[in-house]
């Protein structure tokens, strides 16, 4: 949606907790970030596959989320673009070096097969498998519960020895 600035308040009023915008969809990214913050919402910035990290680097201390698009938005059935993973690595280095606290998410063309193949060399990110945020939380919670059960079982076996 462009220009995004005039829709920010509507999204806030509709109940959005986080408002994610593309730098290309606003005339002034700083003003849009400030408007979202004034509405007491979390700020996300979405980077298209061709958008460089440098476009948003000076704003990273003000955002809660960077969403890396691994396909071009708006066109279904596209294949995952693994070249965008370099952005994830770069953002993670910046986040660690400068002690920033934004999440990194990746969205588009991701499935369990290419996730296993490509994500082993990148920092932990949230990947959108076509799930709603609540669905993703359930998947992550399910995996956490499974891991905890396995850990408990392992510890109990050791104490029985």
């Amino acid at each position: 949606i462009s220009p995004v600035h005039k829709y920010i308040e509507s999204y806030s009023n509709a109940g959005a907790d986080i408002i994610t915008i593309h730098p290309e969809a606003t005339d002034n990214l700083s003003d849009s970030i400030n408007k979202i913050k004034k509405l007491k919402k979390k700020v996300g910035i979405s980077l298209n596959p061709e958008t460089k990290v440098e476009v948003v680097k000076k704003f990273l201390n003000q955002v809660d989320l960077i969403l890396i698009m691994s396909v071009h938005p708006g066109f279904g059935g596209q294949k995952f673009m693994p070249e965008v993973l370099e952005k994830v690595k770069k953002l993670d280095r910046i986040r660690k070096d400068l002690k920033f606290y934004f999440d990194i998410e990746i969205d588009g063309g991701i499935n369990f097969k290419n996730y296993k193949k490509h994500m082993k060399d990148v920092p932990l990110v949230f990947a959108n498998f076509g799930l709603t945020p609540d669905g993703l939380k359930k998947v992550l919670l399910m995996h956490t519960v499974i891991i905890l059960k396995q850990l408990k079982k392992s510890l109990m076996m050791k104490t029985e020895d």
Side-chain angles (χ1 to χ4, degrees), residues 76-118:
Q78 297 176 68
K79 294 201 182 300
F80 175 73
M81 301 169 70
E83 60 271 21
V84 302
L85 296 175
E86 289 305 313
K87 289 184 200 179
V88 174
K89 293 175 186 177
K90 186 173 194 171
L91 285 163
D92 186 56
R93 280 192 305 274
I94 293 168
R95 180 173 60 177
K96 287 177 181 170
D97 290 348
L98 299 177
K99 295 180 177 43
F100 290 160
Y101 299 100
F102 57 85
D103 291 327
I104 302 171
E105 292 184 2
I106 192 161
D107 184 19
I110 300 167
N111 57 44
F112 287 103
K113 184 177 178 183
N114 62 27
Y115 181 86
K116 286 172 123 178
K117 179 180 178 183
H118 295 293

Side-chain angles (χ1 to χ4, degrees), residues 8 25 31 119 135-136 151 158:
I8 291 171
D31 285 351
M119 297 298 186
L136 183 58
L151 180 61
K158 288 184 180 184

Side-chain angles (χ1 to χ4, degrees), residues 112 126-143:
F112 287 103
F126 293 101
N128 186 344
F129 290 92
L131 298 171
T132 64
D134 284 338
L136 183 58
K137 287 177 192 173
K138 288 176 186 171
V139 168
L140 293 172
L141 179 61
M142 177 184 68
H143 287 288

Side-chain angles (χ1 to χ4, degrees), residues 2-14:
S2 181
V4 71
H5 201 76
K6 68 181 185 178
Y7 298 100
I8 291 171
E9 197 165 336
S10 296
Y11 276 95
S12 175
N13 292 339

Side-chain angles (χ1 to χ4, degrees), residues 41-69:
K41 302 297 178 178
K42 291 183 178 182
V43 177
I45 297 178
S46 183
L47 298 180
N48 286 326
E50 63 278 351
T51 305
K52 305 282 185 215
V53 169
E54 288 72 24
V55 170
V56 297
K57 190 173 179 180
K58 69 180 181 180
F59 302 104
L60 293 176
N61 64 330
Q62 301 172 53
V63 302
D64 301 287
L65 164 73
I66 296 292
L67 174 64
I68 304 295
M69 296 302 300

